[in-house]
Amino acid sequence: MSGGASQKFETALRRQLATRTLGRPLYFYASVDSTNVQAARLAREGAEDGTTVVADTQTGGKGRLGRRWVSPPGMNLYLSTLLRPSKPAVDAPQLGLLAAVGVARTIAALTRLVPVIKWPNDVLVSGKKVCGVLTELQADGQNLRSVVVGIGVNLNAPRSAFPEELHNTAGSLLLARGRPVDRAEFTVCLLTHLEKLYVMWLEEGFRDVATAWEAFAAPLLHKPITISGARGNLSGTALGLDHDGVLLLETRPGRPPQRVLAGDVSVVDGYG
Ligand code: BTN
């Protein structure tokens, strides 16, 4: 059954795609270890900016901070795009923030749901995570050689598709709206938004991406949060993004905010 769904998804995706660079070329796998792993391999082989890998299912889907990404067949989107911007390596995290904006815009365009971005690149709907982004880079000294932006979106996953331990935190668009999303339509819309954002970022810099990110993150800004990272926990309120995409966290009122590069946010009073 999933073979048919996979083939239908690929055919519709190839037919509908109208982007100029993102998704050109497009590699589609019925099953693969991880689209990020394949995109990184293609990068080593010299693949061009915009090369994109999509899979119907992943056997080793990778999440942030060494976690796994649950990737059942026939229902969700697993996509990695290879980008080769002429930018310094320190700018790479901006592409993860940009990807979250692209996903949030796509959800807003195709459904009546209200997406919220949780720093850095999670997209939540009704308080549950429906999308995660994993950005992996290769650099030549200070400069980027390539960036793989891996995006997983839980589109049509029923509750039973998630392991028990994720039931409180993970969701899908199907669970939030009660009817399925067309995977090809979602993917085409997403690549179109990502392409526009990427061109804007290349030509004009990060500022407008940051503004869009902050608009989607607004419900979670200025609220008490805890960020757990490699060096322990930090509590405070998120004020927004610094000029380069780093999170500004006010840990003591009246004091200059701290710049936070990485970590996992939990919102003290919940996501309501
Ligand atoms: C996160 O932990 O929030 C990030 C999850 C990223 C998952 C996507 S699915 C497509 C791509 N391939 C992977 O192995 N991971 C990313």
Side-chain angles (χ1 to χ4, degrees):
M1 174 221 139
S2 164
S6 165
Q7 211 157 62
K8 213 175 129 203
F9 177 26
E10 178 182 3
T11 306
L13 181 52
R14 290 195 189 281
R15 200 176 41 227
Q16 291 171 34
L17 196 63
T19 45
R20 284 166 61 91
T21 54
L22 259 58
R24 314 265 174 209
L26 176 72
Y27 293 83
F28 188 98
Y29 294 90
S31 175
V32 76
D33 48 359
S34 151
T35 55
N36 265 34
V37 168
Q38 294 307 316
R41 174 186 58 77
L42 289 162
R44 286 192 300 275
E45 292 169 3
E48 60 198 295
D49 182 68
T51 299
T52 296
V53 181
V54 174
D56 185 58
T57 182
Q58 300 182 116
T59 52
K62 300 197 293 176
R64 284 177 67 232
L65 311 170
R67 300 189 187 116
R68 77 187 173 107
W69 187 256
V70 178
S71 310
M75 54 186 79
N76 294 329
L77 173 61
Y78 319 110
L79 173 150
S80 300
T81 290
L82 165 66
L83 300 173
R84 294 191 183 277
S86 299
K87 294 260 195 182
V90 289
D91 286 357
Q94 295 172 10
L95 288 169
L97 303 165
L98 180 155
V101 171
V103 171
R105 283 189 174 169
T106 304
I107 293 172
L110 297 181
T111 72
R112 292 171 174 224
L113 300 170
V114 180
V116 172
I117 297 181
K118 180 165 85 95
W119 184 82
N121 345 274
D122 289 353
V123 182
L124 314 182
V125 166
S126 309
K128 301 260 171 97
K129 175 165 169 172
V130 298
C131 164
V133 177
L134 177 65
T135 307
E136 299 181 292
L137 67 93
Q138 280 193 304
D140 268 330
Q142 310 276 312
N143 294 321
L144 280 174
R145 191 184 321 158
S146 64
V147 184
V148 171
V149 181
I151 302 173
V153 192
N154 298 329
L155 296 177
N156 298 321
R159 209 170 128 78
S160 59
F162 299 104
E164 186 91 26
E165 69 269 19
L166 293 183
H167 280 186
N168 284 334
T169 51
S172 72
L173 300 191
L174 171 73
L175 290 169
R177 76 202 281 252
R179 62 199 175 87
V181 174
D182 184 295
R183 281 195 295 171
E185 185 187 18
F186 189 93
T187 309
V188 167
C189 187
L190 174 60
L191 285 168
T192 306
H193 279 295
L194 290 176
E195 184 168 278
K196 273 194 204 144
L197 286 160
Y198 181 51
V199 170
M200 184 173 82
W201 180 76
L202 286 175
E203 291 177 356
E204 291 159 40
F206 182 57
R207 211 187 50 193
D208 288 352
V209 176
T211 305
W213 187 96
E214 286 177 340
F216 283 114
L220 299 181
L221 296 178
H222 306 284
K223 282 192 172 173
I225 59 169
T226 298
I227 302 183
S228 47
R231 293 210 221 126
N233 288 350
L234 258 184
S235 293
T237 57
L239 304 180
L241 298 176
D242 210 345
H243 63 96
D244 54 357
V246 169
L247 186 74
L248 293 173
L249 186 75
E250 185 179 69
T251 49
R252 288 202 207 166
R255 292 274 186 90
Q258 292 202 26
R259 282 167 51 84
V260 186
L261 286 157
D264 229 10
V265 168
S266 40
V267 178
V268 176
D269 300 325
Y271 298 99

